[in-house]
Amino acid sequence: MGRGTTSSRRPLRWIAGFLCVVLVAAGAVAWQLGYAEQWWERWRGEDPAATPAEVEPPPAVEVPDVTTPRSVGRPAIARGTVDVDVVDEILDDYFADPDVGPHALAAVAPLRGDLPGHERVRGGARAVPASTTKVVTSAVALRLLGGDHRFTTRTVLEPGGGAPRVVLVGGGDPYLSAARYRPDRSATFDFGRQSVAKLARRTAAELVERGVTRIRLAHDASLFAGPGGHPTWREDPRLEVGGYLEDGVIAPISALWMDQGAVRNGSGRESDPPAAATQFLAEQLRERGIDVRLVGSATAGADAQDLVALRSAPLSDIVHRLLEVSDNAAAEVLLRHIGLAAEGEGSFAAGERGVRRTLANAGIRMGDSVLHDGSGLSRDSRVTPALLIDVIRWLADPARPELRQVLTSLPVAGFTGSLRDRLSEAPPVGLGRVRAKTGTLTGVSSLAGIVQDRDGRVMAFVLMADRIPEDEDLAARQAQDAAAAALGGCRCG
């Protein structure tokens, strides 16, 4: 009886073992091609097509109501004019500080554009704006494209004799990553990002489904034009050599890169970001059984068939991130998109013209002010504080709700982004009341944004200095912090 039972179970055990081997093998293949990833996402109730930008970001920092600028979260309305005598008394201390240097500028104004403000200048009407440039770039990008706009990275297939050609087409996603991106939980605001690894998984699955296992792989970064860097990008104002590209501070700006051109498993920046991204894609495809031969750059043909398209986070999220951390690379990518939207060309020159034209259409005349780039790295850019005041007032215009994202993304003094550790030496009344963009280069410091005084009046303010004495950069920033904090502590009406 026992022997008969054991004998009858042997075929069942053999069949069960065979099925286990088949299932394990099938699972390995599915994981390699990306199908398992999609099954896992569906089983967990996730939409595999959802972009990281559709995932709810971590909550914003909670700032006590008593110190939160009232302009945040609803249209700001400045009550009355500013008291010139009170503002002048605050600025007297700022201008008297020797650490600021011989060229200092300041402006304070109600947010309402039809109310007069107050401006003081010592040593010249224009100054190097540094990263306060990003406020202008972000505003113009949102005006032209809208906060919901996304940038798409694609792979396309061009059928032909022999091995068909697959082209990796860059869409100017400033935050495309190499592998899966894990948001920085220590940051006030961050978001998931699309990755070349994800693009490879889905592209491999599409190719196998079409019966294609051998390809030629090219890249198309033709969306942007012109040089990848600006000739005025130099770190030391006393030298004509030693630029930001050469020193690896920023990669050549491209419509196709990953991790903003950072070298994988190393330091510095890639000299050819599109080629590096394509090399990584090739490695990922080979791991998934695709025979790949790299064939350099190309322009995708009009008859190319879409394989996979990954959409970036919405522009509103991109603007929030780049303003909080003062992201030079992302700002320069947005300048290219401004050029495309306004001039039909994604270059430095077209972006500069697009900024000027968009501001003019908004009634903001640049006059003698000039912005050579989107990030503020250029030492040849010059703006008046009045221009920045006009842009900040434009952002607060209730008729332009799409622009308010710039104001609500500005770092909060003592709490978020590049102002998290600022104003620590200034009067504590400024903490939470000041919301501004910093601008810092060697010998240059600026601060531009909004501040709420003790009476709840919200004002736009700009502080600039670009001839700071050697080794006094920190002291100059502290002087600007003290002036901004004093505006928050005054009764300026």
Side-chain angles (χ1 to χ4, degrees), residues 81-104:
T81 61
V82 297
D83 187 319
V84 173
D85 292 335
V86 174
V87 171
D88 250 342
E89 185 177 345
I90 293 170
L91 296 182
D92 280 344
D93 291 337
Y94 168 61
F95 280 88
D97 195 317
D99 296 326
V100 174
H103 191 206

Side-chain angles (χ1 to χ4, degrees), residues 63-72 411-415 419 423 427-436 449-459 461 484-490:
V63 184
D65 289 341
V66 69
T67 58
T68 303
R70 294 182 184 177
S71 63
V72 177
V412 179
F415 291 93
L419 283 187
L423 276 75
V429 69
L431 298 179
R433 291 184 180 273
V434 176
R435 193 159 203 158
I450 56 176
V451 58
Q452 179 191 33
D453 75 0
R454 285 187 179 275
D455 293 327
R457 179 177 291 97
V458 182
M459 301 171 289
F461 78 96
L487 289 171
C490 79

Side-chain angles (χ1 to χ4, degrees), residues 141-217:
L142 284 171
R143 177 69 187 95
L144 292 176
L145 301 174
D148 293 332
H149 189 84
R150 299 170 187 259
F151 309 111
T152 303
T153 307
R154 301 179 295 141
T155 51
V156 299
L157 178 66
E158 298 177 333
R165 188 171 75 173
V166 171
V167 183
L168 172 59
V169 183
D173 179 352
Y175 287 120
L176 183 70
S177 66
R180 182 179 180 183
Y181 178 78
R182 299 185 182 280
D184 179 3
R185 298 302 180 187
S186 66
T188 308
F189 179 81
D190 202 354
F191 50 82
R193 304 172 189 184
Q194 299 290 13
S195 72
V196 176
K198 181 177 182 179
L199 191 69
R201 288 194 296 270
R202 297 190 176 182
T203 298
E206 284 290 330
L207 289 172
V208 170
E209 188 171 323
R210 296 168 186 245
V212 176
T213 57
R214 185 165 61 92
I215 64 168
R216 295 172 294 132
L217 181 61

Side-chain angles (χ1 to χ4, degrees), residues 318-381:
I318 290 171
V319 163
H320 193 154
R321 176 68 177 174
L322 83 84
L323 286 173
E324 271 211 350
V325 302
S326 198
D327 192 325
N328 294 317
E332 293 302 342
V333 169
L334 291 195
L335 183 69
R336 299 305 198 281
H337 286 296
I338 289 170
L340 284 168
E343 300 283 324
E345 178 183 285
S347 66
F348 276 110
E352 181 183 351
R353 293 193 302 271
V355 167
R356 185 174 290 271
R357 175 186 295 181
T358 304
L359 292 182
N361 290 339
I364 301 173
R365 303 293 175 180
M366 290 188 66
D368 293 336
S369 294
V370 58
L371 293 171
H372 289 297
D373 62 11
S375 63
L377 287 175
S378 174
R379 291 181 173 275
D380 286 6
S381 292

Side-chain angles (χ1 to χ4, degrees), residues 243-284:
Y244 292 110
L245 287 179
E246 293 83 352
D247 294 342
V249 174
I250 190 171
I253 306 305
S254 174
L256 174 61
W257 64 14
M258 57 187 190
D259 299 323
Q260 299 186 334
V263 173
R264 281 191 299 133
N265 305 319
S267 60
R269 304 285 174 174
E270 297 283 359
S271 60
D272 190 349
T278 310
Q279 175 66 48
F280 182 68
L281 176 63
E283 294 169 7
Q284 295 287 302

